[in-house]
Amino acid sequence: MIYSVIVDLSAGEVDRIFDYKGEGYEVGTRVLVNFANRETEGYIVEKKETTDYDESKLKQIIRPLENFAAISPEMLELGRFMRQEYHLRWADVLRLFIPAQMRGNRVKSLTKQQVCLATQDSLDVILNSLKPNATMQRDLVTFLYLNGATLSETLNAEFGNAALRALKQKGLVQTQEIVVRRTPYKNIRTGKFQKHELLAEQQNAVDTVLSDRQGRFLLYGVTGSGKTEVYLTVIEKLVAEGKGCIMLVPEISLTPNMLRQLRERFGDTVALLHSGLSSGERYDEWLRLKEGEAQIAVGARSAVFAPIKNLGAIIIDEEHDGSYISDFNPRYNTSEVADFRARQNNALLLMGSATPSLGSFYAAKQGKLKLIEMPERINKQPLPHVEIADMRLETRRGNKGIFSEVLKQRLSETLAAGNQAMLFLNRRGYSSFLMCTKCGYVAKCDDCDVTLTVHREDNRLKCHYCGKSYYMLDKCPNCKASSFRQGKIGTQQVVELLNKMFPDVKVLRMDADTTQTKESHGRILEQFRQGEAQILVGTQMIAKGHDFPKVTLVGILDGDQSLHHEDYLATERTFQLVTQVAGRSGRDKDVGTVVLQTYTPEHYCLRFAAKQDYVGFYNWEINLRKAASFPPFSEIVRILFTGEKEKPCIDQLTEQYAELCNLKSKYPSDFYYLDKMRCPLKRAENKYRFQILIKISKNSVQQLLPQIYAVCDGKKRSGVQISVERNPQNLA
Ligand code: ADP
Ligand code: ZN
């Protein structure tokens, strides 16, 4: 037999299929092959009778790496699709489908000794064969008789090693090796599951979804409308029919909460997949799905590749979230991948959000997604009241602080009433930059075109882009003066200010700095939920999903921070952010309040956000997009050129640009835009960055995209990396 193998090379541009000889392998099996005189791992992607090469020269596959096919035929199809759609290398795509540490054989199943009775005799007979004073042995066999096979470590702990050894010698018990699965987040206990009686709107949503098992749905439900219950009920129904489901949440920080709810309801049939797990846990959870021991996968975007059999549904919560679009290699769009997988499996796709992405809402209006609406909160509470604090007025009144008068007052009221508050600020660290007051020097990262952030906890300057950390400056490296001004305030400083304002109040902080360990997200949120602190200060991490009944005040300290980017997605993102943050307030009995601080209160985005008027915002924004032919009315392609030296990048850029100009002249009406430039982030991680931006008409994508990709595949200079992104979320 001839097998086509993708060789799993770690770097480089090689994306070719090589033929090998072998016998008895299943397609999708990972194998060891000889490639360029080295033993290399690879994936069998095809089995065939003949080869285009000289068969006598083909090498033999050395051996399989696992005794099962790691990649199913379905996933291979998905791989083919992703490769074409996103211009990816085979090896990079296939790696997404397996736990990382399977490669290089860095993880194995965990085995343990299990003990069971070696005789069919009744308990009386067994006990009669033991001395009356051999208490431990008698207890042990009784235990085994009643409970069946048990791990020997459990028995040793309970009855002592001696008893077990003696019974083994007598031949009364026997041991065997069994595989045990490592379980992540064991401490998230399965509490009691209380089924809610579904409200009419929820029931309607569930019925609509289940009425079309191959449907595509957009569940547009305001924050607190009970979308999760809809997802869970749909899963329950499908699992009862023997189907598997994938439940995606936008961030790792949201997985513990969803995992808890799923485990409460579905117990061990739930598997968690995300990069924060230990390699053993990840491998075991993946295997449980693969072997059909678990039917429900939950996780962030990569869980869309869960090896689930008989897939019935993929559910994407907070579908608008930018994290569903991978912005580093391999780049892909989760909802497109989900759509493809659902199609192959005749499964349904359910996407939910309180602020659907413009693209999805537009697709719903076009009838490509079925729109389901849940416009009311479960508790019939009105959406929180939003007060806009005009920070320009505050400044004019002489308030130079970060808190407006109204926010200070609401904070005092909230704390006095025994409620909790969340303060939101999109900047971690102490303050955003350090500037010399004399010469205007601003501290920047050596490797990135990014200003450094002051961190008080270890008195250092840090680059939030690459993570590099620097000594704090005492003198300006430029003019030697030692007077610095610190720029905008960060989360850490907000906490410090709050501690001064309310000395008796406990404040928690949640941002990338306080959540570096594996389970710290969960811990901070749990502390806050338990009421151990009254105020939670955080970055966008606290914006979404979380449900804290005692929170009645949300403060958005920098409402317009993300508004003033040239990026066409900036307003949409700001709207989503403000609405999501506001949605954290008043989810229980007390009506919530939101204070939105801004320097541009007249901006349409903030006006709609303050009223939580999604449809109003949608109508306004979609018209702008249409007028400027931005997505969803066009497709944006960005070709990114990076390299340590500037010159080869520029040469490469110029060359590819010329070719694209040729292409454009053939399809003048389909190219809305084509230009080359430096990236807004000029340098990052010690590499220069240039880009070509392309905007093409929606209906020319099928025709033009392969040709654009072909241009990217042309001759390359060494030292230049080229990558392509479709509709990137981030144009930095
Ligand atoms: P969303 O995801 O739409 O923001 P959630 O699913 O978090 O909303 O639901 C909000 C709250 O309402 C949760 O505390 C949830 O337990 C509760 N809830 C959901 N459905 C019901 C119901 N049918 N009856 C009572 N409470 C419900
Ligand atoms: Zn840096």
mmCIF file with all atom_site columns, all heavy atoms in Angstrom, residues 690-702:
data_model
loop_
_atom_site.group_PDB
_atom_site.id
_atom_site.type_symbol
_atom_site.label_atom_id
_atom_site.label_alt_id
_atom_site.label_comp_id
_atom_site.label_asym_id
_atom_site.label_entity_id
_atom_site.label_seq_id
_atom_site.pdbx_PDB_ins_code
_atom_site.Cartn_x
_atom_site.Cartn_y
_atom_site.Cartn_z
_atom_site.occupancy
_atom_site.B_iso_or_equiv
_atom_site.pdbx_formal_charge
_atom_site.auth_seq_id
_atom_site.auth_comp_id
_atom_site.auth_asym_id
_atom_site.auth_atom_id
_atom_site.pdbx_PDB_model_num
ATOM 1   N N   . PHE A 1 690 ? 5.234   45.346 8.051  1.00 0.00 ? 690 PHE A N   1
ATOM 2   C CA  . PHE A 1 690 ? 4.626   46.047 6.916  1.00 0.00 ? 690 PHE A CA  1
ATOM 3   C C   . PHE A 1 690 ? 3.385   45.277 6.500  1.00 0.00 ? 690 PHE A C   1
ATOM 4   O O   . PHE A 1 690 ? 3.265   44.086 6.782  1.00 0.00 ? 690 PHE A O   1
ATOM 5   C CB  . PHE A 1 690 ? 5.601   46.110 5.742  1.00 0.00 ? 690 PHE A CB  1
ATOM 6   C CG  . PHE A 1 690 ? 6.810   46.934 6.017  1.00 0.00 ? 690 PHE A CG  1
ATOM 7   C CD1 . PHE A 1 690 ? 7.930   46.366 6.623  1.00 0.00 ? 690 PHE A CD1 1
ATOM 8   C CD2 . PHE A 1 690 ? 6.831   48.284 5.695  1.00 0.00 ? 690 PHE A CD2 1
ATOM 9   C CE1 . PHE A 1 690 ? 9.050   47.125 6.903  1.00 0.00 ? 690 PHE A CE1 1
ATOM 10  C CE2 . PHE A 1 690 ? 7.954   49.054 5.968  1.00 0.00 ? 690 PHE A CE2 1
ATOM 11  C CZ  . PHE A 1 690 ? 9.064   48.474 6.575  1.00 0.00 ? 690 PHE A CZ  1
ATOM 12  N N   . GLN A 1 691 ? 2.503   45.974 5.798  1.00 0.00 ? 691 GLN A N   1
ATOM 13  C CA  . GLN A 1 691 ? 1.303   45.253 5.383  1.00 0.00 ? 691 GLN A CA  1
ATOM 14  C C   . GLN A 1 691 ? 0.771   45.733 4.045  1.00 0.00 ? 691 GLN A C   1
ATOM 15  O O   . GLN A 1 691 ? 0.997   46.860 3.623  1.00 0.00 ? 691 GLN A O   1
ATOM 16  C CB  . GLN A 1 691 ? 0.210   45.383 6.444  1.00 0.00 ? 691 GLN A CB  1
ATOM 17  C CG  . GLN A 1 691 ? -0.273  46.814 6.645  1.00 0.00 ? 691 GLN A CG  1
ATOM 18  C CD  . GLN A 1 691 ? -1.246  46.930 7.819  1.00 0.00 ? 691 GLN A CD  1
ATOM 19  O OE1 . GLN A 1 691 ? -1.365  46.022 8.628  1.00 0.00 ? 691 GLN A OE1 1
ATOM 20  N NE2 . GLN A 1 691 ? -1.945  48.047 7.899  1.00 0.00 ? 691 GLN A NE2 1
ATOM 21  N N   . ILE A 1 692 ? 0.057   44.811 3.393  1.00 0.00 ? 692 ILE A N   1
ATOM 22  C CA  . ILE A 1 692 ? -0.754  45.185 2.241  1.00 0.00 ? 692 ILE A CA  1
ATOM 23  C C   . ILE A 1 692 ? -2.194  44.985 2.673  1.00 0.00 ? 692 ILE A C   1
ATOM 24  O O   . ILE A 1 692 ? -2.543  43.923 3.200  1.00 0.00 ? 692 ILE A O   1
ATOM 25  C CB  . ILE A 1 692 ? -0.445  44.293 1.025  1.00 0.00 ? 692 ILE A CB  1
ATOM 26  C CG1 . ILE A 1 692 ? 0.994   44.532 0.556  1.00 0.00 ? 692 ILE A CG1 1
ATOM 27  C CG2 . ILE A 1 692 ? -1.433  44.578 -0.113 1.00 0.00 ? 692 ILE A CG2 1
ATOM 28  C CD1 . ILE A 1 692 ? 1.410   43.655 -0.618 1.00 0.00 ? 692 ILE A CD1 1
ATOM 29  N N   . LEU A 1 693 ? -2.996  46.015 2.501  1.00 0.00 ? 693 LEU A N   1
ATOM 30  C CA  . LEU A 1 693 ? -4.408  45.888 2.839  1.00 0.00 ? 693 LEU A CA  1
ATOM 31  C C   . LEU A 1 693 ? -5.220  45.813 1.556  1.00 0.00 ? 693 LEU A C   1
ATOM 32  O O   . LEU A 1 693 ? -5.004  46.600 0.625  1.00 0.00 ? 693 LEU A O   1
ATOM 33  C CB  . LEU A 1 693 ? -4.876  47.082 3.670  1.00 0.00 ? 693 LEU A CB  1
ATOM 34  C CG  . LEU A 1 693 ? -4.487  47.089 5.139  1.00 0.00 ? 693 LEU A CG  1
ATOM 35  C CD1 . LEU A 1 693 ? -5.065  48.321 5.825  1.00 0.00 ? 693 LEU A CD1 1
ATOM 36  C CD2 . LEU A 1 693 ? -4.949  45.821 5.854  1.00 0.00 ? 693 LEU A CD2 1
ATOM 37  N N   . ILE A 1 694 ? -6.123  44.849 1.541  1.00 0.00 ? 694 ILE A N   1
ATOM 38  C CA  . ILE A 1 694 ? -6.943  44.625 0.356  1.00 0.00 ? 694 ILE A CA  1
ATOM 39  C C   . ILE A 1 694 ? -8.398  44.579 0.782  1.00 0.00 ? 694 ILE A C   1
ATOM 40  O O   . ILE A 1 694 ? -8.729  43.960 1.795  1.00 0.00 ? 694 ILE A O   1
ATOM 41  C CB  . ILE A 1 694 ? -6.592  43.275 -0.313 1.00 0.00 ? 694 ILE A CB  1
ATOM 42  C CG1 . ILE A 1 694 ? -5.096  43.192 -0.603 1.00 0.00 ? 694 ILE A CG1 1
ATOM 43  C CG2 . ILE A 1 694 ? -7.409  43.070 -1.584 1.00 0.00 ? 694 ILE A CG2 1
ATOM 44  C CD1 . ILE A 1 694 ? -4.629  41.784 -0.907 1.00 0.00 ? 694 ILE A CD1 1
ATOM 45  N N   . LYS A 1 695 ? -9.237  45.217 0.013  1.00 0.00 ? 695 LYS A N   1
ATOM 46  C CA  . LYS A 1 695 ? -10.672 45.102 0.271  1.00 0.00 ? 695 LYS A CA  1
ATOM 47  C C   . LYS A 1 695 ? -11.309 44.673 -1.045 1.00 0.00 ? 695 LYS A C   1
ATOM 48  O O   . LYS A 1 695 ? -11.176 45.357 -2.048 1.00 0.00 ? 695 LYS A O   1
ATOM 49  C CB  . LYS A 1 695 ? -11.202 46.455 0.736  1.00 0.00 ? 695 LYS A CB  1
ATOM 50  C CG  . LYS A 1 695 ? -12.478 46.366 1.500  1.00 0.00 ? 695 LYS A CG  1
ATOM 51  C CD  . LYS A 1 695 ? -12.661 47.559 2.430  1.00 0.00 ? 695 LYS A CD  1
ATOM 52  C CE  . LYS A 1 695 ? -12.998 48.813 1.650  1.00 0.00 ? 695 LYS A CE  1
ATOM 53  N NZ  . LYS A 1 695 ? -13.280 49.970 2.510  1.00 0.00 ? 695 LYS A NZ  1
ATOM 54  N N   . ILE A 1 696 ? -11.957 43.503 -1.017 1.00 0.00 ? 696 ILE A N   1
ATOM 55  C CA  . ILE A 1 696 ? -12.574 43.019 -2.250 1.00 0.00 ? 696 ILE A CA  1
ATOM 56  C C   . ILE A 1 696 ? -14.061 42.806 -2.057 1.00 0.00 ? 696 ILE A C   1
ATOM 57  O O   . ILE A 1 696 ? -14.535 42.673 -0.931 1.00 0.00 ? 696 ILE A O   1
ATOM 58  C CB  . ILE A 1 696 ? -11.919 41.692 -2.741 1.00 0.00 ? 696 ILE A CB  1
ATOM 59  C CG1 . ILE A 1 696 ? -11.929 40.652 -1.627 1.00 0.00 ? 696 ILE A CG1 1
ATOM 60  C CG2 . ILE A 1 696 ? -10.526 41.936 -3.251 1.00 0.00 ? 696 ILE A CG2 1
ATOM 61  C CD1 . ILE A 1 696 ? -11.395 39.301 -2.066 1.00 0.00 ? 696 ILE A CD1 1
ATOM 62  N N   . SER A 1 697 ? -14.768 42.741 -3.156 1.00 0.00 ? 697 SER A N   1
ATOM 63  C CA  . SER A 1 697 ? -16.215 42.585 -3.050 1.00 0.00 ? 697 SER A CA  1
ATOM 64  C C   . SER A 1 697 ? -16.545 41.194 -2.540 1.00 0.00 ? 697 SER A C   1
ATOM 65  O O   . SER A 1 697 ? -15.804 40.235 -2.747 1.00 0.00 ? 697 SER A O   1
ATOM 66  C CB  . SER A 1 697 ? -16.883 42.802 -4.412 1.00 0.00 ? 697 SER A CB  1
ATOM 67  O OG  . SER A 1 697 ? -16.583 41.718 -5.261 1.00 0.00 ? 697 SER A OG  1
ATOM 68  N N   . LYS A 1 698 ? -17.669 41.111 -1.856 1.00 0.00 ? 698 LYS A N   1
ATOM 69  C CA  . LYS A 1 698 ? -18.078 39.875 -1.210 1.00 0.00 ? 698 LYS A CA  1
ATOM 70  C C   . LYS A 1 698 ? -18.219 38.728 -2.220 1.00 0.00 ? 698 LYS A C   1
ATOM 71  O O   . LYS A 1 698 ? -17.805 37.608 -1.958 1.00 0.00 ? 698 LYS A O   1
ATOM 72  C CB  . LYS A 1 698 ? -19.422 40.140 -0.517 1.00 0.00 ? 698 LYS A CB  1
ATOM 73  C CG  . LYS A 1 698 ? -19.767 39.196 0.583  1.00 0.00 ? 698 LYS A CG  1
ATOM 74  C CD  . LYS A 1 698 ? -19.015 39.513 1.853  1.00 0.00 ? 698 LYS A CD  1
ATOM 75  C CE  . LYS A 1 698 ? -19.031 38.295 2.745  1.00 0.00 ? 698 LYS A CE  1
ATOM 76  N NZ  . LYS A 1 698 ? -18.077 38.364 3.821  1.00 0.00 ? 698 LYS A NZ  1
ATOM 77  N N   . ASN A 1 699 ? -18.795 39.034 -3.383 1.00 0.00 ? 699 ASN A N   1
ATOM 78  C CA  . ASN A 1 699 ? -19.051 37.922 -4.306 1.00 0.00 ? 699 ASN A CA  1
ATOM 79  C C   . ASN A 1 699 ? -17.863 37.569 -5.194 1.00 0.00 ? 699 ASN A C   1
ATOM 80  O O   . ASN A 1 699 ? -17.950 36.696 -6.035 1.00 0.00 ? 699 ASN A O   1
ATOM 81  C CB  . ASN A 1 699 ? -20.315 38.169 -5.142 1.00 0.00 ? 699 ASN A CB  1
ATOM 82  C CG  . ASN A 1 699 ? -20.319 39.572 -5.704 1.00 0.00 ? 699 ASN A CG  1
ATOM 83  O OD1 . ASN A 1 699 ? -19.246 40.170 -5.850 1.00 0.00 ? 699 ASN A OD1 1
ATOM 84  N ND2 . ASN A 1 699 ? -21.499 40.108 -6.005 1.00 0.00 ? 699 ASN A ND2 1
ATOM 85  N N   . SER A 1 700 ? -16.731 38.224 -4.959 1.00 0.00 ? 700 SER A N   1
ATOM 86  C CA  . SER A 1 700 ? -15.550 37.842 -5.739 1.00 0.00 ? 700 SER A CA  1
ATOM 87  C C   . SER A 1 700 ? -14.587 36.994 -4.916 1.00 0.00 ? 700 SER A C   1
ATOM 88  O O   . SER A 1 700 ? -13.534 36.592 -5.403 1.00 0.00 ? 700 SER A O   1
ATOM 89  C CB  . SER A 1 700 ? -14.827 39.092 -6.239 1.00 0.00 ? 700 SER A CB  1
ATOM 90  O OG  . SER A 1 700 ? -14.234 39.765 -5.151 1.00 0.00 ? 700 SER A OG  1
ATOM 91  N N   . VAL A 1 701 ? -14.967 36.732 -3.655 1.00 0.00 ? 701 VAL A N   1
ATOM 92  C CA  . VAL A 1 701 ? -14.046 36.058 -2.747 1.00 0.00 ? 701 VAL A CA  1
ATOM 93  C C   . VAL A 1 701 ? -13.582 34.709 -3.293 1.00 0.00 ? 701 VAL A C   1
ATOM 94  O O   . VAL A 1 701 ? -12.382 34.420 -3.341 1.00 0.00 ? 701 VAL A O   1
ATOM 95  C CB  . VAL A 1 701 ? -14.707 35.876 -1.364 1.00 0.00 ? 701 VAL A CB  1
ATOM 96  C CG1 . VAL A 1 701 ? -13.841 35.009 -0.464 1.00 0.00 ? 701 VAL A CG1 1
ATOM 97  C CG2 . VAL A 1 701 ? -14.926 37.227 -0.711 1.00 0.00 ? 701 VAL A CG2 1
ATOM 98  N N   . GLN A 1 702 ? -14.545 33.892 -3.733 1.00 0.00 ? 702 GLN A N   1
ATOM 99  C CA  . GLN A 1 702 ? -14.192 32.552 -4.215 1.00 0.00 ? 702 GLN A CA  1
ATOM 100 C C   . GLN A 1 702 ? -13.185 32.618 -5.346 1.00 0.00 ? 702 GLN A C   1
ATOM 101 O O   . GLN A 1 702 ? -12.288 31.796 -5.452 1.00 0.00 ? 702 GLN A O   1
ATOM 102 C CB  . GLN A 1 702 ? -15.456 31.820 -4.707 1.00 0.00 ? 702 GLN A CB  1
ATOM 103 C CG  . GLN A 1 702 ? -16.429 31.453 -3.614 1.00 0.00 ? 702 GLN A CG  1
ATOM 104 C CD  . GLN A 1 702 ? -15.808 30.597 -2.532 1.00 0.00 ? 702 GLN A CD  1
ATOM 105 O OE1 . GLN A 1 702 ? -14.924 29.780 -2.809 1.00 0.00 ? 702 GLN A OE1 1
ATOM 106 N NE2 . GLN A 1 702 ? -16.224 30.788 -1.288 1.00 0.00 ? 702 GLN A NE2 1
#
